[in-house]
Amino acid sequence: MKPLSMMLSMLVIGMTSNAAMAEGASSVNTSLANASLPNTSLPNISPANSELVNRGAYIARAADCMACHGEDYTGGTPIETPMGEIYSTNITPSKRYGIGDYTEADLKNALQKGRAPNHMLYPAMPYPSYSGMKEEDISALFAYLQTVPAVDEAPKEKTDLPFPFNIRSLMLGWNLLNVPSTEKRDGLNETQKRGEYIVNNLEHCGTCHTPRNSTMGFDKSMYLSGAQLGHWHAPNITPDESSGIGSWSEQDIVTYLRTGELDQRAYAGGPMGEAVAHSTRYLKNEDLSAIASYLKAVPAVQTDDKVSAVDVSRLPTPINESITHDLLAQKEYLKQAKAAVGKGSNSPESLYLATCGSCHGVDGYGQPDARYAPIVGLSSIRRERPDALVNMILHGVEGATNTSPIMPGFSDELNSEQIAGISNYVRVNFGGLTSSDVNASDVDRIANTGVDKPFLIKYAGLLAIIGIIVAIAIIVFIIRAILRSRRRA
């Protein structure tokens, strides 16, 4: 299950896709989408299990439980929020550390109301979205979770938020304002209704892609229009042509969710890579098609983070057709390229070759066999705002799975001017932009941009103390007034 609003989202240098590109891409119907990509079999489906349990295994994938609770469901994943880090819990059938004593009603309350048997949950567990889960899906999920191996150990870290957020009962008031997080729309066909259920409830896409209001609930007027997540940005996935995915066909969406990439346009990494690796690639083709149909039907929202249309004629071509799969040829080509720019050069090209070329290649096509991301044509490097690319160079990103490569950050190795130079080089040479003017000041601004805390969150402690003082003052005033009236009597 993905985090609250601060869940880092989508990017390796190919980071997540979103955006206006792919000229000439046309919508395709569901039957074509289904015929194009085979269903991926679930690794935890077994003929030995009941139909209900196997259905629950599918629901667990569709709800992306592994993103937060891990492949073994033991939890411990830190979820960054403006209030502090919240750690996911053990949801194996362990009676001491997990949910072994849960009844189906307990699981239903946790998913739909954010209530564990002994305390309130924080909405880092996305119950505002799960509140719309169907009864039969909860029953299936409960049956499946009883069959996973019990792990009798607690996560190494425990959630310990500062006052007043450590008072879990406050979630009762928050829930009144923010649950459910979305509303059903009218005018959808049956396929789109299924897509709405998966997007809004099971996959809880709005958790990352919808901006937050002052209470940290969804800003419903900006539904799925993208949100800043600490150093990262979950992109606009509404059908807006200039800043969203309006130029993506339904088949493009299906392909991306199944494979995590679109050639010379998008590559899923980081948390979106996790979502693909653990969840969307296992969905049935009809469910992926339903998601695609629904995303094309949601209201388009235009944001200021627009993406330049891809100019294929300006994109580089590999030196030969096989080099991206030939590591020795790549090493030799990189050696020649470094020699051509000269030893000791501090030019943007030289910096790119020295820090990025060994993984992403001289021409930006990466190493598919080793899962190093291609970066040619990606929407994330064609944005008007360079924040996504700069943050990637500054902070790097962990791989989507245990076997995925980890991209290191270079904030301690490169200065702001050097990072700006690499950014400009990548945007022009691999993004096809005619020019790029990222400078050191831009890099400093992006590097120093912290988590934007709403007023109520930022000053919650002070406001709580003031509230307590005022409450005490009112109580004292009332007591004094009662005593005075008795004396007069």
Side-chain angles (χ1 to χ4, degrees), residues 7 23 82 99 103 138 173 178 239 241 247 258 264 290 300 307 333 343 349 372 382 411 435 482:
M7 184 132 209
E23 292 84 342
I99 59 172
T103 65
I138 294 175
N178 297 300
E241 290 285 341
S247 62
R258 173 72 76 208
Q264 295 191 2
V307 180
Y333 187 32
K343 208 170 188 179
E349 180 181 9
Y372 288 106
R382 289 185 284 107
S411 59
S435 63
I482 292 173

Side-chain angles (χ1 to χ4, degrees), residues 221-240:
S221 67
M222 298 294 286
Y223 174 64
L224 298 181
S225 65
Q228 191 65 33
L229 310 170
H231 293 301
W232 312 106
H233 187 267
N236 183 341
I237 57 172
T238 74
D240 178 65

Side-chain angles (χ1 to χ4, degrees), residues 192-214:
Q192 291 166 343
K193 288 178 181 178
R194 174 63 178 171
E196 179 182 55
Y197 174 64
I198 299 172
V199 169
N200 288 354
N201 303 129
L202 293 180
E203 290 287 354
H204 51 283
C205 302
T207 299
C208 288
H209 290 277
T210 299
R212 301 280 167 162
N213 58 30
S214 60

Side-chain angles (χ1 to χ4, degrees), residues 64-375:
D64 201 10
C65 301
M66 286 185 175
C68 285
H69 294 281
E71 295 180 7
D72 57 1
Y73 299 111
T74 56
T77 302
I79 300 164
E80 183 184 356
T81 79
M83 293 76 70
E85 286 191 336
I86 296 175
Y87 293 89
S88 61
T89 57
N90 183 331
I91 58 170
T92 73
S94 168
K95 290 185 176 294
R96 182 174 182 181
Y97 298 106
I99 59 172
D101 287 330
Y102 269 41
T103 65
E104 185 175 324
D106 290 334
L107 181 63
K108 179 181 176 182
N109 283 333
L111 291 171
Q112 294 187 329
K113 299 178 182 179
R115 296 181 182 178
N118 300 316
H119 60 266
M120 298 297 297
L121 300 176
Y122 293 114
M125 200 286 278
Y127 63 82
S129 296
Y130 291 154
S131 64
M133 281 185 68
K134 297 177 181 178
E135 301 282 337
E136 57 266 32
D137 286 347
I138 294 175
S139 296
L141 180 61
F142 178 76
Y144 166 67
L145 289 176
Q146 303 309 300
T147 69
V148 305
V151 179
D152 291 318
E153 61 182 51
K156 294 180 180 179
E157 300 288 346
K158 187 176 180 180
T159 300
D160 184 20
L161 298 184
F163 176 82
F165 304 115
N166 59 343
I167 305 174
R168 288 178 179 259
S169 58
L170 293 177
M171 292 297 98
L172 291 169
W174 189 91
N175 292 346
L176 288 175
L177 296 174
N178 297 300
V179 179
S181 59
T182 55
E183 299 172 358
K184 290 185 178 180
R185 293 181 54 221
D186 296 326
L188 301 179
N189 61 36
E190 290 305 311
T191 297
Q192 291 166 343
K193 288 178 181 178
R194 174 63 178 171
E196 179 182 55
Y197 174 64
I198 299 172
V199 169
N200 288 354
N201 303 129
L202 293 180
E203 290 287 354
H204 51 283
C205 302
T207 299
C208 288
H209 290 277
T210 299
R212 301 280 167 162
N213 58 30
S214 60
T215 68
M216 292 305 295
F218 283 10
D219 180 351
K220 296 179 182 179
S221 67
M222 298 294 286
Y223 174 64
L224 298 181
S225 65
Q228 191 65 33
L229 310 170
H231 293 301
W232 312 106
H233 187 267
N236 183 341
I237 57 172
T238 74
D240 178 65
E241 290 285 341
S242 63
S243 59
I245 57 173
S247 62
W248 286 33
S249 69
E250 289 186 23
Q251 180 61 63
D252 289 336
I253 298 172
V254 170
T255 299
Y256 179 73
L257 294 176
R258 173 72 76 208
T259 67
E261 59 185 285
L262 286 175
D263 186 41
Q264 295 191 2
R265 285 185 288 163
Y267 192 97
M272 189 61 201
E274 290 180 354
V276 174
H278 296 307
S279 180
T280 61
R281 74 185 180 108
Y282 292 107
L283 297 187
K284 299 173 183 176
N285 279 322
E286 53 264 36
D287 280 345
L288 291 180
S289 294
I291 291 173
S293 180
Y294 174 67
L295 289 179
K296 298 294 284 187
V298 302
V301 180
Q302 185 178 91
T303 66
D304 61 358
D305 192 18
K306 297 179 181 179
V307 180
S308 299
V310 64
D311 183 352
V312 177
S313 67
R314 294 184 57 85
L315 299 181
T317 55
I319 186 174
N320 61 57
E321 292 184 1
S322 64
I323 192 168
T324 56
H325 302 281
D326 188 336
L327 180 58
L328 293 178
Q330 283 198 47
K331 290 178 68 175
E332 180 60 29
Y333 187 32
L334 178 60
K335 179 180 178 181
Q336 294 172 6
K338 288 181 176 178
V341 297
K343 208 170 188 179
S345 171
N346 198 39
S347 68
E349 180 181 9
S350 177
L351 289 169
Y352 170 81
L353 294 174
T355 58
C356 316
S358 60
C359 294
H360 297 294
V362 174
D363 296 322
Y365 283 93
Q367 300 174 33
D369 292 346
R371 302 177 70 181
Y372 288 106
I375 59 176

Side-chain angles (χ1 to χ4, degrees), residues 390-405:
V390 170
N391 268 318
M392 181 57 55
I393 299 171
L394 283 168
H395 305 291
V397 69
E398 292 187 4
T401 64
N402 293 336
T403 58
S404 299

